């Protein structure tokens, strides 16, 4: 881009003509006095003060230095033990306490170890319905704690899939009509690898 051209100076004959015209004219605002054109002022250059070593530098940065203190994790799905513990007690409170301590007599049990989900579901439902029809009140469902079968695929596999499915199966469908309470078993009966299933009275 071409630089800005400086204004051309008047030749002597042009200067003389301008003076003659200026003497014959009258100013519109004589009280303001003659207007004197001023040359445009050049913008002041910003002072470039040398920066001393270390001055103006950002402070040392560390990832996470401003992060809040770690608190309690807010998982979308709480652990199974916590979800079962938060369920309301629908059976007799004293009987529930005895059952939690492993002091309530178990009248039947089923072991689902080694079964796939497709195999375990119908067997579990059939077992619970049969126990209810026989007038049993407390049965034990053994699932095991599960093992980590994640083979590193694109989708993570939950550990103990059968253990997580059993409470859902017993809380839905036809099984829900006969099941009154579900809770983890006492350690003498398998702990978190088994469930106490308290059934409703027959005919209710």
């Amino acid at each position: 881009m071409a630089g800005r051209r400086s204004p051309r100076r008047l030749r002597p004959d042009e200067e003389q003509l301008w003076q003659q015209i200026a003497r014959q004219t009258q100013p519109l605002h004589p009280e303001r006095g003659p207007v004197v054109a001023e040359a445009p002022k050049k913008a002041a250059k910003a002072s470039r003060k040398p920066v001393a070593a270390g001055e103006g530098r950002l402070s040392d940065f560390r990832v996470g230095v401003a992060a809040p203190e770690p608190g309690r994790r807010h998982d979308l799905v709480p652990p199974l033990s916590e979800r079962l513990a938060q369920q309301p007690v629908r059976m007799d409170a004293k009987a529930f306490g005895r059952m939690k301590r492993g002091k309530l007599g178990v009248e039947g049990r089923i072991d689902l170890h080694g079964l796939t989900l497709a195999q375990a579901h119908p067997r579990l439902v059939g077992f619970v319905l049969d126990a209810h029809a026989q007038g049993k009140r407390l049965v034990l469902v053994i699932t095991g704690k599960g093992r980590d079968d994640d083979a590193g695929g694109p989708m993570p596999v939950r550990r103990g899939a059968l253990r997580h499915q059993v409470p859902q199966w017993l809380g839905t469908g036809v099984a829900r009509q006969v099941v009154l309470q579900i809770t983890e078993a006492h350690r003498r009966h398998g702990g978190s690898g088994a469930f106490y299933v308290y059934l409703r009275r027959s005919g209710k």
Side-chain angles (χ1 to χ4, degrees):
M1 181 177 179
R4 186 177 179 182
R5 300 176 63 181
S6 58
R8 182 178 65 85
R9 291 181 171 275
L10 298 178
R11 298 194 304 270
D13 57 334
E14 293 175 338
E15 178 69 27
Q16 185 178 2
L17 179 60
W18 168 251
Q19 293 297 337
Q20 291 177 2
I21 295 174
R23 285 194 296 269
Q24 296 175 4
T25 58
Q26 295 181 355
L28 293 176
H29 303 284
E31 69 277 2
R32 295 183 183 178
V35 179
V36 180
E38 296 182 0
K41 296 181 180 179
K42 294 183 179 180
K45 293 183 178 180
S47 60
R48 296 184 179 179
K49 183 181 178 181
V51 180
E55 184 180 348
R57 293 176 55 188
L58 293 175
S59 58
D60 294 337
F61 174 76
R62 288 182 300 159
V63 175
V65 67
E69 292 294 330
R72 182 181 178 184
R73 293 181 57 188
H74 297 282
D75 295 332
L76 295 179
V77 180
L80 179 59
S81 300
E82 184 177 335
R83 285 181 313 207
L84 292 176
Q86 292 175 350
Q87 289 184 352
V89 178
R90 292 181 288 269
M91 58 185 289
D92 180 76
K94 290 184 179 180
F96 179 76
R98 292 180 59 203
M99 182 177 69
K100 289 283 291 182
R101 294 192 299 271
K103 295 184 177 181
L104 203 61
V106 175
E107 302 173 73
R109 68 183 63 206
I110 184 173
D111 192 344
L112 302 177
H113 270 110
L115 300 182
T116 65
L117 296 180
Q119 295 170 336
H121 188 193
R123 292 194 189 183
L124 173 65
V125 174
F127 166 77
V128 169
L129 293 179
D130 288 344
H132 178 259
Q134 297 171 19
K136 297 179 180 180
R137 302 302 307 276
L138 181 62
V139 295
L140 182 69
V141 178
I142 303 171
T143 63
K145 298 180 181 179
R147 60 187 181 188
D148 193 356
D149 291 331
D150 193 349
M155 296 296 293
V157 178
R158 168 178 277 179
R159 180 184 180 186
L162 180 60
R163 174 175 173 265
H164 284 81
Q165 282 297 124
V166 164
Q168 296 185 33
W169 290 337
L170 295 178
T172 57
V174 66
R176 182 180 182 182
Q177 301 175 12
V178 300
V179 173
L180 185 63
Q181 195 82 46
I182 307 170
T183 186
E184 285 188 352
H186 189 270
R187 61 178 176 270
R188 73 172 65 179
H189 290 136
S192 60
F195 297 98
Y196 291 136
V197 181
Y198 197 77
L199 304 177
R200 300 179 185 274
R201 291 186 183 276
S202 298
K204 291 188 177 181

